[in-house]
Amino acid sequence: MAKLGGTRQGAIRAYLFGYFLCTSGFLFGYDTGIVGGVLTMASYERDFGYTDNTTVAAVMVSLQNAGAFLAATQVWNLSERFGRRKTIIVACSVFCIGVILQVVPSHSLACFYIGRFVAGLGLGSSTAVCPSYNAEMAPKEIRGKLGSGMQWLFALGVMISYWIDYGTAVGLPESSAQWQIPVGLQLVPAAVLGLGLIGCKESVRWLVKKDRIEEAWDSLTWIRADDGAEVKAEFEEIKAGLASELRASEGFKKKELLEPANRYRLLLAFGLFLGQQCTGMTALAYFAPQIFAVLVGDSVSQNLLITGLFGAEKFIMCGIYILFFSERFKRRPTFWIAPILMAVCFAIVCIVNETAYGDGTGPNARSAGIATVAMIFLTNSIYQFSWGPLPWPYTAEIFPSRIREIGTSVAVSTQWLFNFMFSLVTPYMVNAMGAYVFLFYAALDLIMSFMAFMFVKETQGRSIEEMETIFHSKAAFDVDAARKLGAGETVDEIKRHGSTAGKATGVDVFERPAQNSA
């Protein structure tokens, strides 16, 4: 565990709660992973009576992504009005309704598609709200580690879905159960998340923003398992930060989004999740069996097995990054160095496949196929150390509370929008371009690297309130002074000794109206 102040129970609770919220990432990953395997099953094709596999694959994935995109763009209204916890509970309920529509034996693609869209509404809502909820409750020392858990549990969901697809495809006789079991198991994580949140506390920062100070203090002491001086100092910092935001502009107005600091952050969130989809790794997660068929041949069982190993590697590498490196690697260099390495790997895949694999029957075909799969696995490892997990905590932490619902909705809706676009076109690209599709993604990776180098700011180890200074917001305030005030120092003592943050920002925490502490 990262070094945390406070009680050991508080540290354990922070980890457990943070990763529990990341169950929405598991749900996202499991749903992503089952699609490719289900589409290879003869039982699914027989039950729904279609012949155009490419079109069904594109529509099945893109419809759910469309629903998720629509939900992610609008859910911030519900999250702002009713709170994070209730919004996620409702989202899980909607998702479960969508899954039920998919598994009923209707033998109708229309019914299945409607279920995908409805499930997408729930999935998009939960993935948009959970990162904000997590960031608002996490200690700053491990916020990146907890936020990155979205990708780790996403990888776990993908891995499990791949092996369930493989197990039902090779272990069960051809029947409806082959595809109904993988699809129906989506109900389990959705129910766990929705029911589990019933006994949890609401976001501290959301409660403070709604002027429910006593409830906010109760929530903070619950998640920290402590009510000592350090927790009081953190609470004062939270209240001071929110007071500064409110003082900068009373009553939210849409024009706040166009303020330079907020506009920059919104564009940055949009760009990061666009970049995450441009890596090609999400498209590969959806259609791994079909893409591996391009590299090593058309054996269904072989490709499902490789896909299962691919999912296991995804989970293991993401876990290694989160547990040992997420709070050691700086955010900014990770964002621009990793795409260069991924581009090199993709270029090698394309070159080897086109020059050595041939039609798959030559003397070098087997070794070339192994080499290309190995490079895909290496690319996946790089992704799990960078663009896979990192956009989730980064975009959740950079926004002030006044626009965090909108900011994270913009970020996650961008993810779903371009997830929709890439999942819609990838099957057709693979059919038309073959291995050259990897060269396309390599070019996108290089563009991402340049953009990240130019525009990403470093946020590691900084509190959410300090983001106002990093992004030169009008709501920037003296965080150091606020914490000292909460820890028991008097105003005169702080002014006499000074504070590092105050000297750096040129603003004064004592300019705001006094707030009652808990």
Side-chain angles (χ1 to χ4, degrees):
M1 291 185 180
K3 179 66 174 177
L4 291 175
T7 65
R8 179 175 178 80
Q9 182 183 357
I12 294 173
R13 187 171 291 175
Y15 277 99
L16 291 178
F17 182 74
Y19 283 116
F20 176 71
L21 284 178
C22 292
T23 303
S24 63
F26 177 92
L27 189 59
F28 178 20
Y30 184 89
D31 176 83
T32 298
I34 60 169
V35 173
V38 164
L39 288 170
T40 66
M41 297 177 184
S43 58
Y44 183 82
E45 185 175 341
R46 182 204 64 206
D47 284 352
F48 289 96
Y50 63 89
T51 56
D52 188 352
N53 192 70
T54 301
T55 299
V56 171
V59 174
M60 180 192 292
V61 176
S62 59
L63 264 180
Q64 178 147 322
N65 290 337
F69 167 72
L70 292 175
T73 58
Q74 300 300 319
V75 73
W76 67 271
N77 291 290
L78 296 176
S79 177
E80 167 62 16
R81 181 174 180 180
F82 299 107
R84 320 306 191 215
R85 187 176 65 91
K86 292 179 181 178
T87 302
I88 297 170
I89 292 172
V90 172
C92 290
S93 302
V94 172
F95 180 85
C96 289
I97 293 172
V99 173
I100 292 171
L101 290 174
Q102 292 173 59
V103 297
V104 293
S106 65
H107 301 283
S108 167
L109 275 177
C111 181
F112 195 91
Y113 288 157
I114 291 172
R116 292 287 293 175
F117 182 81
V118 172
L121 295 175
L123 188 59
S125 298
S126 65
T127 54
V129 178
C130 281
S132 292
Y133 193 5
N134 204 343
E136 290 174 343
M137 297 291 278
K140 67 179 181 180
E141 295 86 354
I142 57 170
R143 192 176 57 241
K145 181 176 291 187
L146 297 184
S148 296
M150 281 289 289
Q151 183 64 23
W152 194 15
L153 268 72
F154 171 88
L156 177 62
V158 169
M159 178 187 72
I160 291 177
S161 69
Y162 286 163
W163 286 109
I164 289 177
D165 279 347
Y166 178 72
T168 57
V170 302
L172 294 178
E174 187 175 311
S175 64
S176 298
Q178 281 184 313
W179 63 266
Q180 285 178 323
I181 290 174
V183 174
L185 284 176
Q186 295 176 97
L187 292 168
V188 176
V192 168
L193 179 60
L195 294 174
L197 282 176
I198 293 176
C200 295
K201 300 289 186 181
E202 182 55 83
S203 162
V204 176
R205 288 172 172 83
W206 183 82
L207 289 169
V208 170
K209 187 163 60 172
K210 296 300 180 181
D211 202 29
R212 292 158 62 174
I213 303 301
E214 291 185 5
E215 291 179 68
W217 173 247
D218 183 54
S219 180
L220 184 61
T221 55
W222 171 76
I223 193 65
R224 301 291 182 263
D226 188 18
D227 59 359
E230 187 173 347
V231 177
K232 290 179 180 177
E234 181 182 2
F235 194 56
E236 287 299 326
E237 180 183 346
I238 292 170
K239 292 196 296 179
L242 289 167
S244 181
E245 292 170 19
L246 292 170
R247 187 171 178 271
S249 177
E250 290 290 342
F252 175 74
K253 298 180 177 62
K254 290 184 179 179
K255 66 179 182 180
E256 288 183 49
L257 301 176
L258 299 180
E259 292 176 3
N262 291 340
R263 183 174 64 240
Y264 191 101
R265 285 181 276 199
L266 287 167
L267 290 173
L268 189 58
F270 175 89
L272 288 177
F273 273 103
L274 168 58
Q276 188 186 61
Q277 301 309 303
C278 287
T279 62
M281 299 309 295
T282 302
L284 184 60
Y286 276 119
F287 303 111
Q290 291 84 344
I291 292 175
F292 284 127
V294 173
L295 301 178
V296 296
D298 295 326
S299 171
V300 173
S301 60
Q302 173 185 269
N303 292 330
L304 286 176
L305 177 60
I306 295 174
T307 299
L309 296 173
F310 176 75
E313 189 240 7
K314 181 189 291 285
F315 173 69
I316 292 169
M317 297 309 296
C318 187
I320 291 173
Y321 168 76
I322 292 172
L323 293 177
F324 301 108
F325 298 103
S326 60
E327 299 300 343
R328 295 183 181 182
F329 289 175
K330 295 290 186 180
R331 315 273 208 254
R332 183 173 175 272
T334 299
F335 273 126
W336 71 264
I337 293 173
I340 297 175
L341 301 177
M342 288 189 285
V344 172
C345 292
F346 275 153
I348 292 173
V349 169
C350 181
I351 293 170
V352 171
N353 185 268
E354 292 301 315
T355 59
Y357 189 75
D359 61 0
T361 60
N364 297 322
R366 180 175 176 79
S367 59
I370 293 173
T372 54
V373 169
M375 293 308 299
I376 292 295
F377 275 52
L378 178 58
T379 308
N380 185 42
S381 296
I382 297 169
Y383 176 77
Q384 301 306 328
F385 269 62
S386 56
W387 283 82
L390 202 48
W392 295 99
Y394 190 91
T395 54
E397 71 191 8
I398 62 176
F399 292 106
S401 294
R402 289 178 64 78
I403 65 166
R404 185 166 294 117
E405 296 92 346
I406 298 176
T408 54
S409 291
V410 166
V412 177
S413 62
T414 300
Q415 192 262 357
W416 285 114
L417 173 63
F418 288 96
N419 204 329
F420 163 77
M421 292 178 59
F422 282 112
S423 64
L424 183 63
V425 303
T426 293
Y428 298 101
M429 289 175 63
V430 172
N431 283 346
M433 300 171 64
Y436 284 105
V437 72
F438 295 106
L439 211 56
F440 168 77
Y441 282 118
L444 294 183
D445 282 335
L446 293 177
I447 295 172
M448 288 159 45
S449 176
F450 174 77
M451 299 301 288
F453 181 83
M454 294 296 296
F455 298 110
V456 170
K457 293 180 179 292
E458 188 57 61
T459 61
Q460 185 189 41
R462 308 294 289 273
S463 71
I464 288 178
E465 284 66 38
E466 289 176 288
M467 299 300 165
E468 300 310 289
T469 302
I470 293 173
F471 287 93
H472 307 292
S473 170
K474 292 190 297 184
F477 71 102
D478 191 340
V479 171
D480 188 38
R483 292 190 68 88
K484 289 180 178 179
L485 188 64
E489 292 190 34
T490 66
V491 171
D492 290 337
E493 287 175 333
I494 298 172
K495 287 186 174 181
R496 183 167 61 252
H497 297 129
S499 70
T500 304
K503 294 174 183 177
T505 63
V507 293
D508 186 356
V509 70
F510 308 114
E511 292 178 356
R512 285 181 306 284
Q515 299 258 343
N516 293 327
S517 51

